[in-house]
Amino acid sequence: MLMAEMRERHGREEMTPRIFADFQNADPKGRVRLNTQGTHRDLERLGLALSDGMAVRLSDGELEADGEVEYSTEEDMWVAKIDWRVLFDGE
């Protein structure tokens, strides 16, 4: 990875909120549902409200993924689009 890419990624990590997500809890479109107690707990702790287009770092304690929040009108809940090919170690 180039140094500029590393700086950009590092800066994005500092600004992107990290919230809990259960990667096994995905909708039929492959979006991760943001309806777990852990997710709600993290949002409350951070003082955040989800909004369309919001960038988030999803973590289950072992794996992480960058996601973009959107509202699922089909399921009446917030979800996050992620690239399933780019899950990475949370360490």
Side-chain angles (χ1 to χ4, degrees), residues 47-58:
L48 292 175
L50 297 174
S51 60
D52 277 315
M54 177 184 221
V56 290
R57 167 71 48 93
L58 303 177

Side-chain angles (χ1 to χ4, degrees), residues 13-69:
E13 286 178 8
E14 289 178 2
M15 296 173 46
T16 304
R18 177 180 279 125
I19 59 174
F20 177 82
D22 179 356
F23 293 110
Q24 305 267 341
N25 185 18
D27 71 6
K29 295 181 180 179
R31 302 172 301 181
V32 178
R33 294 180 180 106
L34 302 177
N35 64 341
T36 67
Q37 289 181 354
T39 302
H40 291 291
R41 195 172 24 251
D42 283 349
L43 292 170
E44 185 176 315
R45 177 180 54 82
L46 295 167
L48 292 175
L50 297 174
S51 60
D52 277 315
M54 177 184 221
V56 290
R57 167 71 48 93
L58 303 177
S59 174
D60 68 359
E62 293 181 17
L63 296 174
E64 294 191 356
D66 290 323
E68 182 180 332
V69 174

Side-chain angles (χ1 to χ4, degrees), residues 7 44 74 78:
R7 278 194 300 269
E44 185 176 315
E74 301 91 359
W78 291 103

